[in-house]
Amino acid sequence: MMKLLSTTLLFGLLTCSVITGMAENNYYVSEKKGSGYFVLTDLENTASLLVNSDDFPAVTRAFGDLQMDIYRVTGRKPELKYDEISSAKYAVIAGTLGQSKLIDDLVARGVINKQELDGKWEKFIIKTVENPFPGIENALIIAGSDRRGTVFGIYDISEKIGVSPWYYWADVPIKKKERIYIKPGTYTDGEPVVKYRGIFINDEAPALRNWAIENFGDLNHQFYATVYELLLRSKANFLWPAMWLPSMFYVDDPLNPKVADEYGIVISTTHHEPMMRAHNEWNHFYGGDWNYETNKENLQEFWREGVERIGDYETFVTVGMRGDGDLAMTDETATELLETIIADQREIIADVTGKPANETPQLWAIYKEVQDYWDQGMRVDDDVLILLCNDNWGNVSLLPKADELDHKAGFGMYYHFNYVGAPVSYRWHNVTQIERVWEQMKITYDFGVKELWLVNVGDIKPMEFPISFFLDFAWNPEAIQAGDLPNYYIKWAQRKFGDTHKHDIAELIALYTKYNARRTHEMLSPEIYSLENYREADRIVDDFRLLLERSRKIYEQMPETHKSAFYQLVLSPIEMSSNLNELYVTAAKNRLYAFQGRASTNIYVDKVKDLFFKDDKLTRQFHEDLENGKWNHMMSQNRIGYTSWNHPRANIMPAVSYIHTPDSPQLGFEVEYGSNPVWAGFSIEGEPTFSDSFSKFDPYNQQNYYVEIFNMGEGTLNYSIEAKNDWIKLSGKGGSIEFDERVYVTIDWDKVPDGNPVGEILIKGAGKEYVVKVPVRNVLPKAYGFVENNGVVSIGAANYTNKFDSEELYWTVVPNLGRECSSIIIEPFNSPSQSIGENSPRVEYEFTLFDAGEIIVEAYLSPTQDFKKQGGLKFAISINDEEPQIINMNEGEIVPDYKYADWWMQSVGDQIKIKSTRHHITEPGKQTLRLWMIDTGIVFQKFVIDAGGLRDSYLGPPESKYIGR
């Protein structure tokens, strides 16, 4: 039975306001003492810290970090004791069940319920108790089910007292306190839902590599210790270490894996580095063909050495084989060969370890061309984890079918925040919306992928925010629903910077990541945003400028202790991105103005040059001024001047042009949304042509168009502009200009005559005069919903008029997801395809067209892959009472993404897919667009209805005016 859940939305308020909600409290920590509170530290007492020396090294080391964290926060350093139970009014006792005599004694005394921890994965409990041992009056117990469980409990306290996981990697300020109390009770985060959660440090030269060399001497164990600590403080446990040439994790510093195990981090190697060997090791130590058919013995010896050196360390061995240098192993899918390779690798694993291969954790990555093997039916032993992958651009490529979920080792997902490859690498700044991460990883979770979540993070910086989200979400995907996403920003901002600016900071991060995700920095060019339609290019620049103004204002109000972190996490990415977008828009203006013959063309050459060198200045500021050079090299990825997928050797300024102009001023002008000039504006007998009419003004939209006056010669142009009708309003009457000036044209609707009058404005200057028509359309049908504006209606998908859910399926708004406002999806994601019928889930949009006739409806969709592999994801569109037209959003996507198909290159570059349907409107006036659900997994961003007036642009027309009933 269908239920009408919403008839009207508060347009704009729901879908374009980014941040609402309240931040969380640190629920068990207090700065005020209450009845039964445990004193961690105050002016009278500081609890001692007690741990068994024979507990896991990861535990004793982390407990030492807690000692330092308390000191960082309060200036008081608690005493750290090993094994000794001595008299104390307050003591913090940490340990691992079955490894710590202290914890096992507390279990025997009934203080800890063994069942809460026994057999659990990475679970901790934090508990206040009285008189746990003779001589100890009050204790705070941190008990873990295993070594990481204990470590996570220790770091949970560290974060809640005021030490961020990012205190080192982003210089997040320590929250100073004089008193810290723990409320009485028992606290836990439970077990993680995703068993292994981690990152891949990738493409780390020149930025991270040079930074690490300067600070640590190499990518050695001192460097990795900071990474391991960051992971553990973020409740992560898994790492693919850096492998960009010439990195070799096990060779660069033999202590790298040893220290990883001491911290409790699981080490593995990447999708094209089997058997715990770095890619560069082959060329460094062996060489020869990377070909199992011709060089089998050398490869087996190479792999055997890789397994031998892992010893008893906690590792995941990657099996399989791809080609040399992240390429395909063979031109064709060689299933029998790959099956032989994996079987031989497993024999090596068993032989070296002295135990069955199924006792050593292994994974097989279904990355790029390896998906062909999977699609053709190749499978591996039940104890090998299947690591699925996205398309390197944030779109999941493949998910398991229900009958495949009995695979004992389970499935994982390899995701990307950074990538080197087609269509163009993206490495420089954060271009990831957490809303897209949520949507794609929630699909992943709903389809049963829960064993490993791994994300490529490039240089770690500046991906701090999406890394935080990815790891938080992996701990419990059920805990963050679509409606919780705005609050995640607030919580994150509050944890880093406190309460004062948390809502503003949250919105700044939400918006800059949205703007960056529209088009990666490396794929920007002067051609991307339209200068002439929808004021698109200017809106892009203005959007960033507004963020920059807001972030600078907050920066000035920040305490000195907070400015560095705020600069790194908020101000710097906004300022750098703002400058780069303005650079390309300015270069675009130089090109357009040269074509138009404007005198201002030449000053835009200088503006482009200034912005180009400002980019370098901002980079130097990050490298040299920030934290006295602590982060030198970190933003050194080249980002300007890409001509292929690979980065240029240097940043290259966009091409610009100078023009020669006449010695005396000459009048030119451009009419916004004007008619096409004769001969497309080319000069005829030395006389340029210009538009002679605006598009129509109407009382519903009350348009505000401009005419831009420009000088085409040297000197000062004196011009005048006047309305020949009293109902035409101009923002100016003329003046003297050297370059350009806009005059805005509106209508006085109280004075305009009935009917569809056509007025005129007169433009004079430099001995020339021109008449431009101002047409008005007063005779219109009554308007409801989204109203046509000169042949176009644009509707944000989340701004539906009505929505209909079924008992099993429901529409969900994902706030802020998409290139403009918000998006809608259908949940649960793992629901089967639906047939269209009377009770089908659907949403409706009311809109008004001024004329009958043919229209085209364009659906703007996130570039989702056909991850179900059932012939494409489908939905349907209908207008009014017509039969729904079924659309396959993946139609024609025959060539796979990893072969760099044109469909894929365009959709990931634009971050959108546009699917069209044609319809006939029989009567002008109110219409209803219906969106029918067939498949889950589709993200609807907006709908554009082209009634003959759609103009070229990157984002499409802004949302139309809405008129309620």
Side-chain angles (χ1 to χ4, degrees), residues 57-70:
V59 172
T60 56
R61 191 207 56 76
F63 211 38
D65 282 351
L66 179 61
Q67 179 190 37
M68 289 304 301
D69 289 344
I70 294 170

Side-chain angles (χ1 to χ4, degrees), residues 811 824 841-843 875-877 929-933 940 943:
W811 295 94
I824 59 171
R842 65 187 184 276
V843 289
F875 64 98
I877 293 287
L929 184 155
R930 291 183 175 89
L931 166 65
W932 304 79
M933 178 262 174
F940 300 93
F943 300 95

Side-chain angles (χ1 to χ4, degrees), residues 127-180:
K127 184 174 184 177
T128 58
V129 299
E130 295 180 353
N131 303 308
F133 294 113
I136 297 179
E137 297 180 29
N138 299 277
L140 179 67
I141 309 299
I142 308 168
S145 62
D146 48 37
R147 59 176 180 164
R148 280 191 294 272
T150 311
V151 170
F152 293 157
I154 291 168
Y155 282 139
D156 195 73
I157 292 175
S158 288
E159 182 170 19
K160 287 183 170 58
I161 68 173
V163 180
S164 168
W166 295 95
Y167 80 95
Y168 175 80
W169 274 92
D171 301 293
V172 172
I174 305 297
K175 296 178 181 178
K176 301 292 186 179
K177 300 177 177 66
E178 287 193 340
R179 302 170 177 83
I180 304 174

Side-chain angles (χ1 to χ4, degrees), residues 560 693 964:
E560 288 298 321
S693 177

